mmCIF file of all heavy atoms in Angstrom:
data_model
loop_
_atom_site.group_PDB
_atom_site.id
_atom_site.type_symbol
_atom_site.label_atom_id
_atom_site.label_comp_id
_atom_site.label_asym_id
_atom_site.label_seq_id
_atom_site.Cartn_x
_atom_site.Cartn_y
_atom_site.Cartn_z
ATOM 1 N N CYS A 195 2.249 9.360 -2.156
ATOM 2 C CA CYS A 195 3.029 10.443 -1.524
ATOM 3 C C CYS A 195 2.178 10.748 -0.189
ATOM 4 O O CYS A 195 0.973 10.643 -0.122
ATOM 5 C CB CYS A 195 3.223 11.658 -2.450
ATOM 6 S SG CYS A 195 1.738 12.572 -2.812
ATOM 7 N N GLY A 196 2.894 11.184 0.702
ATOM 8 C CA GLY A 196 2.298 11.558 2.086
ATOM 9 C C GLY A 196 1.314 12.638 1.958
ATOM 10 O O GLY A 196 0.308 12.603 2.604
ATOM 11 N N GLY A 197 1.519 13.569 0.940
ATOM 12 C CA GLY A 197 0.563 14.692 0.811
ATOM 13 C C GLY A 197 -0.893 14.220 0.515
ATOM 14 O O GLY A 197 -1.875 14.804 0.877
ATOM 15 N N ASN A 198 -0.885 13.156 -0.393
ATOM 16 C CA ASN A 198 -2.347 12.626 -0.660
ATOM 17 C C ASN A 198 -3.016 12.223 0.641
ATOM 18 O O ASN A 198 -4.234 12.361 0.729
ATOM 19 C CB ASN A 198 -2.241 11.474 -1.587
ATOM 20 C CG ASN A 198 -1.823 11.706 -2.929
ATOM 21 O OD1 ASN A 198 -1.880 12.860 -3.421
ATOM 22 N ND2 ASN A 198 -1.362 10.640 -3.670
ATOM 23 N N TYR A 199 -2.357 11.752 1.645
ATOM 24 C CA TYR A 199 -2.887 11.298 2.840
ATOM 25 C C TYR A 199 -3.208 12.450 3.640
ATOM 26 O O TYR A 199 -4.343 12.454 4.348
ATOM 27 C CB TYR A 199 -2.038 10.286 3.550
ATOM 28 C CG TYR A 199 -2.147 8.922 2.962
ATOM 29 C CD1 TYR A 199 -1.528 8.526 1.834
ATOM 30 C CD2 TYR A 199 -2.997 7.947 3.567
ATOM 31 C CE1 TYR A 199 -1.669 7.228 1.299
ATOM 32 C CE2 TYR A 199 -3.153 6.712 3.004
ATOM 33 C CZ TYR A 199 -2.521 6.367 1.855
ATOM 34 O OH TYR A 199 -2.747 5.134 1.308
ATOM 35 N N ALA A 200 -2.342 13.480 3.806
ATOM 36 C CA ALA A 200 -2.622 14.600 4.534
ATOM 37 C C ALA A 200 -3.981 15.309 4.162
ATOM 38 O O ALA A 200 -4.698 15.661 5.035
ATOM 39 C CB ALA A 200 -1.396 15.664 4.409
ATOM 40 N N ALA A 201 -4.238 15.293 2.944
ATOM 41 C CA ALA A 201 -5.357 15.891 2.288
ATOM 42 C C ALA A 201 -6.633 15.056 2.574
ATOM 43 O O ALA A 201 -7.760 15.539 2.335
ATOM 44 C CB ALA A 201 -5.147 16.273 0.818
ATOM 45 N N SER A 202 -6.463 13.777 2.961
ATOM 46 C CA SER A 202 -7.677 12.932 3.055
ATOM 47 C C SER A 202 -8.111 12.772 4.487
ATOM 48 O O SER A 202 -8.974 12.109 4.755
ATOM 49 C CB SER A 202 -7.388 11.691 2.347
ATOM 50 O OG SER A 202 -6.509 10.878 3.116
ATOM 51 N N MET A 203 -7.271 13.268 5.424
ATOM 52 C CA MET A 203 -7.562 13.056 6.890
ATOM 53 C C MET A 203 -9.031 13.569 7.296
ATOM 54 O O MET A 203 -9.650 12.952 8.042
ATOM 55 C CB MET A 203 -6.541 13.609 7.761
ATOM 56 C CG MET A 203 -5.141 13.075 7.565
ATOM 57 S SD MET A 203 -5.087 11.491 8.251
ATOM 58 C CE MET A 203 -3.434 10.980 7.750
ATOM 59 N N ARG A 204 -9.219 14.790 6.836
ATOM 60 C CA ARG A 204 -10.470 15.455 7.297
ATOM 61 C C ARG A 204 -11.693 14.597 6.901
ATOM 62 O O ARG A 204 -12.548 14.332 7.779
ATOM 63 C CB ARG A 204 -10.716 16.753 6.583
ATOM 64 C CG ARG A 204 -11.851 17.625 7.158
ATOM 65 C CD ARG A 204 -11.888 18.925 6.794
ATOM 66 N NE ARG A 204 -12.228 19.116 5.394
ATOM 67 C CZ ARG A 204 -12.605 20.284 4.856
ATOM 68 N NH1 ARG A 204 -12.479 21.434 5.517
ATOM 69 N NH2 ARG A 204 -12.979 20.414 3.583
ATOM 70 N N ALA A 205 -11.724 14.157 5.686
ATOM 71 C CA ALA A 205 -12.989 13.255 5.217
ATOM 72 C C ALA A 205 -12.944 11.997 6.077
ATOM 73 O O ALA A 205 -13.950 11.538 6.437
ATOM 74 C CB ALA A 205 -12.749 12.977 3.787
ATOM 75 N N GLY A 206 -11.811 11.363 6.377
ATOM 76 C CA GLY A 206 -11.691 10.276 7.140
ATOM 77 C C GLY A 206 -12.216 10.460 8.571
ATOM 78 O O GLY A 206 -12.921 9.596 9.050
ATOM 79 N N ASP A 207 -11.835 11.548 9.124
ATOM 80 C CA ASP A 207 -12.301 12.048 10.516
ATOM 81 C C ASP A 207 -13.908 12.145 10.523
ATOM 82 O O ASP A 207 -14.625 11.586 11.382
ATOM 83 C CB ASP A 207 -11.749 13.332 10.917
ATOM 84 C CG ASP A 207 -10.302 13.164 11.224
ATOM 85 O OD1 ASP A 207 -9.835 11.933 11.329
ATOM 86 O OD2 ASP A 207 -9.623 14.140 11.459
ATOM 87 N N ARG A 208 -14.382 12.770 9.452
ATOM 88 C CA ARG A 208 -15.916 12.864 9.394
ATOM 89 C C ARG A 208 -16.539 11.616 9.293
ATOM 90 O O ARG A 208 -17.635 11.345 9.897
ATOM 91 C CB ARG A 208 -16.173 13.753 8.207
ATOM 92 C CG ARG A 208 -15.935 15.222 8.337
ATOM 93 C CD ARG A 208 -16.545 16.005 7.148
ATOM 94 N NE ARG A 208 -16.062 17.255 6.982
ATOM 95 C CZ ARG A 208 -15.722 17.834 5.935
ATOM 96 N NH1 ARG A 208 -15.690 17.095 4.849
ATOM 97 N NH2 ARG A 208 -15.301 19.013 5.793
ATOM 98 N N ALA A 209 -15.999 10.692 8.446
ATOM 99 C CA ALA A 209 -16.780 9.474 8.193
ATOM 100 C C ALA A 209 -16.730 8.655 9.507
ATOM 101 O O ALA A 209 -17.643 8.089 9.909
ATOM 102 C CB ALA A 209 -16.039 8.635 7.191
ATOM 103 N N ALA A 210 -15.557 8.684 10.234
ATOM 104 C CA ALA A 210 -15.382 7.992 11.482
ATOM 105 C C ALA A 210 -16.428 8.462 12.556
ATOM 106 O O ALA A 210 -17.019 7.634 13.170
ATOM 107 C CB ALA A 210 -13.866 8.109 12.013
ATOM 108 N N ALA A 211 -16.628 9.767 12.491
ATOM 109 C CA ALA A 211 -17.552 10.372 13.395
ATOM 110 C C ALA A 211 -19.013 9.804 13.246
ATOM 111 O O ALA A 211 -19.852 9.789 14.136
ATOM 112 C CB ALA A 211 -17.505 11.934 13.383
ATOM 113 N N GLU A 212 -19.152 9.352 11.985
ATOM 114 C CA GLU A 212 -20.625 8.754 11.696
ATOM 115 C C GLU A 212 -20.541 7.361 11.681
ATOM 116 O O GLU A 212 -21.569 6.770 11.234
ATOM 117 C CB GLU A 212 -21.077 9.407 10.377
ATOM 118 C CG GLU A 212 -21.113 10.952 10.436
ATOM 119 C CD GLU A 212 -22.101 11.515 9.541
ATOM 120 O OE1 GLU A 212 -23.154 10.868 9.275
ATOM 121 O OE2 GLU A 212 -21.760 12.649 9.001
ATOM 122 N N GLY A 213 -19.483 6.769 12.140
ATOM 123 C CA GLY A 213 -19.484 5.337 12.279
ATOM 124 C C GLY A 213 -19.048 4.498 10.930
ATOM 125 O O GLY A 213 -19.241 3.304 10.894
ATOM 126 N N TYR A 214 -18.372 5.316 10.003
ATOM 127 C CA TYR A 214 -17.903 4.599 8.845
ATOM 128 C C TYR A 214 -16.381 4.506 9.007
ATOM 129 O O TYR A 214 -15.756 5.352 9.548
ATOM 130 C CB TYR A 214 -18.363 5.364 7.655
ATOM 131 C CG TYR A 214 -19.819 5.306 7.410
ATOM 132 C CD1 TYR A 214 -20.638 6.138 8.143
ATOM 133 C CD2 TYR A 214 -20.325 4.340 6.540
ATOM 134 C CE1 TYR A 214 -22.020 5.974 7.857
ATOM 135 C CE2 TYR A 214 -21.649 4.244 6.334
ATOM 136 C CZ TYR A 214 -22.493 5.014 7.111
ATOM 137 O OH TYR A 214 -23.848 4.981 6.831
ATOM 138 N N SER A 215 -15.870 3.300 8.411
ATOM 139 C CA SER A 215 -14.465 3.030 8.769
ATOM 140 C C SER A 215 -13.601 3.690 7.596
ATOM 141 O O SER A 215 -12.486 4.102 7.806
ATOM 142 C CB SER A 215 -14.179 1.593 8.653
ATOM 143 O OG SER A 215 -14.481 1.017 7.454
ATOM 144 N N GLN A 216 -14.095 3.937 6.416
ATOM 145 C CA GLN A 216 -13.338 4.732 5.377
ATOM 146 C C GLN A 216 -14.288 5.445 4.448
ATOM 147 O O GLN A 216 -15.446 5.239 4.463
ATOM 148 C CB GLN A 216 -12.459 3.692 4.648
ATOM 149 C CG GLN A 216 -11.409 3.014 5.396
ATOM 150 C CD GLN A 216 -10.209 2.576 4.556
ATOM 151 O OE1 GLN A 216 -9.833 3.114 3.644
ATOM 152 N NE2 GLN A 216 -9.737 1.362 4.946
#
Side-chain angles (χ1 to χ4, degrees):
C195 72
N198 288 345
Y199 279 81
S202 71
M203 296 291 175
R204 183 172 77 169
D207 289 347
R208 284 190 194 134
E212 303 208 33
Y214 290 81
S215 62
Q216 293 203 41

